Amino acid sequence: MNDSPASIRWAGDATSGVLEIFDQTLLPNRLEWIACRDVAAVIEAIQRLRVRGAPAIGIAGAYGLAVAAQEAVQHGLAPAAARDHVRTRGESLASARPTAVNLRWAVERALAAIAGLPGTTAAADLATRLLAEARAIHDEDRRLCAAIGRHGAALLPDGGVLTHCNTGALATGGDGTALAAITTAWEQGRKLEVYADETRPLFQGARLTAWELVHRGIPVTVLVDGAAGHLLKTGRIAACIVGADRITARGDAANKIGTYALAVLARAHGVPFYVAAPSSTFDLTIESGDDIPIEERAAAEVLAPLGVPAAPTGARAYNPAFDVTPAELITALVTERGVITPVTRDAVTAAIGPRG
Ligand code: MRU
């Protein structure tokens, strides 16, 4: 089974079709698609992490605008009201999760695609244009993932490679970012031993990355996040590679909580630490990673992991979903445009330039 699982699809045409999301909260035990028939359902899917990963939530947000235009058709809205409805719902979609910049980037790109249409454009025609733009963003991400996979594979040495969270097909519109580097290298016949942090508290590494790798026939070893230090100290890891949710102009990278600790460990043990992401993950309006908004999630995710109570009633939880790795700890950034190393402000802005 070498074909990638998909995270998002659209069935049918713009006005009567439906956005479907592969519900990642059920993995690895159940494989189910859910239909998102209104914008509220798309937002719920993003916030509950039924669809997750920076590029994938951007793609979902863009399709969500086509769903907003369908709502306008169903409510019989006139052109101006339909456009207002789409814009308002666009703001709700863009702010559904705060850290991954891809979400706002994709929603704004889709809105820009209708900005130039005449004011008399009917809701159904807005839906057609918005669906075309969402499909374009989706297709483009597929190509970006392939390029990131090639550039990343060329960097990875043979031996142990450690990744964190899930950065594969489930998290993107293609084969992934960091995970695409790993799978591409594997498919090139390289001798990799893949390790995946389980990624507390939502287990994206154990539930999703391991599932994707097993699905592709690539052996994977899952470890608790706290075992990473010992694994690195005992010399079994030749490189770490992770994804990102937002990368600033100076190259600071926000990614799943635990990434920063892994970068510190990699530096302490002289192991290269790579961050792979498409240009849509860069936010050149922000200089320092300290200014990236970090999502805080519900206490229950920590106190009752996978729904099983694991702490006494009355205990509180600290549950930031992301942390920021400073550029100094990143050996190279891997993008569809190539590899940025060393990671400096000049190198980042020269490689990424205006976003998109
Ligand atoms: O909370 P999540 O599961 O959406 O977090 C995802 C990550 O942190 C990924 O590493 C990142 O979005 C890159 S996905 C290619």
Side-chain angles (χ1 to χ4, degrees):
M1 283 193 289
N2 274 335
D3 53 325
S4 303
S7 52
I8 300 164
R9 66 189 182 198
W10 182 279
D13 67 13
T15 45
S16 59
V18 63
L19 171 62
E20 294 177 335
I21 283 174
F22 188 55
D23 188 348
Q24 300 185 31
T25 62
L26 305 176
L27 285 171
N29 302 316
R30 273 162 52 204
L31 278 53
E32 267 178 40
W33 288 86
I34 52 162
C36 294
R37 298 190 189 281
D38 53 32
V39 175
V42 183
I43 292 172
E44 192 267 356
I46 292 171
Q47 291 179 334
R48 291 284 306 276
L49 274 57
R50 300 186 194 284
V51 57
R52 43 138 307 277
I57 63 173
I59 294 163
Y63 281 116
L65 284 179
V67 176
Q70 285 184 329
E71 290 177 343
V73 173
Q74 283 150 17
H75 299 159
L77 299 183
R83 201 178 282 244
D84 278 353
H85 178 79
V86 167
R87 276 203 213 102
T88 309
R89 300 311 275 147
E91 186 44 45
S92 306
L93 284 161
S95 51
R97 291 189 78 191
T99 303
V101 74
N102 308 61
L103 177 54
R104 183 164 291 278
W105 169 84
V107 167
E108 283 177 1
R109 174 169 154 180
L111 285 174
I114 57 164
L117 296 180
T120 52
T121 307
D125 296 323
L126 292 180
T128 302
R129 184 67 195 88
L130 286 164
L131 178 60
E133 195 61 23
R135 285 197 160 123
I137 292 169
H138 198 167
D139 288 347
E140 198 176 287
D141 195 60
R142 219 167 267 137
R143 293 192 294 276
L144 303 189
C145 286
I148 290 169
R150 280 195 306 277
H151 295 306
L155 281 180
L156 290 180
D158 281 1
V161 56
L162 174 58
T163 191
H164 190 71
C165 197
N166 171 265
T167 59
L170 292 167
T172 64
D175 272 352
T177 57
L179 200 62
I182 292 172
T183 55
T184 303
W186 176 270
E187 278 150 20
Q188 289 169 349
R190 304 270 301 289
K191 303 272 174 285
L192 298 183
E193 204 173 328
V194 186
Y195 291 90
D197 278 346
E198 64 174 2
T199 316
R200 291 257 172 160
L202 296 180
F203 297 91
Q204 289 95 328
R207 294 189 304 105
L208 310 178
T209 299
W211 181 79
E212 283 197 43
L213 289 168
V214 167
H215 181 88
R216 294 181 82 116
I218 301 176
V220 56
T221 301
V222 176
L223 54 140
V224 298
D225 300 352
H230 182 65
L231 186 71
L232 281 149
K233 186 162 179 276
T234 48
R236 281 177 281 177
I237 295 299
C240 298
I241 187 163
V242 300
D245 290 81
R246 193 184 299 224
I247 302 175
T248 71
R250 67 182 299 278
D252 297 343
N255 190 49
K256 179 52 54 194
I257 192 73
T259 302
Y260 168 60
L262 193 58
V264 171
L265 285 167
R267 175 58 54 91
H269 296 291
V271 169
F273 189 84
Y274 300 119
V275 175
S279 51
S280 51
T281 300
F282 286 74
D283 182 355
L284 301 188
T285 69
I286 291 185
E287 197 64 36
S288 162
D290 295 343
D291 295 326
I292 298 176
I294 299 293
E295 178 182 6
E296 295 252 359
R297 294 187 59 84
E301 291 179 353
V302 173
L303 301 177
L306 301 174
V308 179
T313 305
R316 292 184 301 206
Y318 173 55
N319 190 16
F322 301 96
D323 57 29
V324 176
T325 299
E328 298 73 38
L329 293 177
I330 301 172
T331 311
L333 295 169
V334 186
T335 79
E336 77 278 8
R337 301 181 188 182
V339 173
I340 302 172
T341 187
V343 182
T344 62
R345 184 180 201 289
D346 285 353
V348 169
T349 49
I352 302 305
R355 225 171 49 203

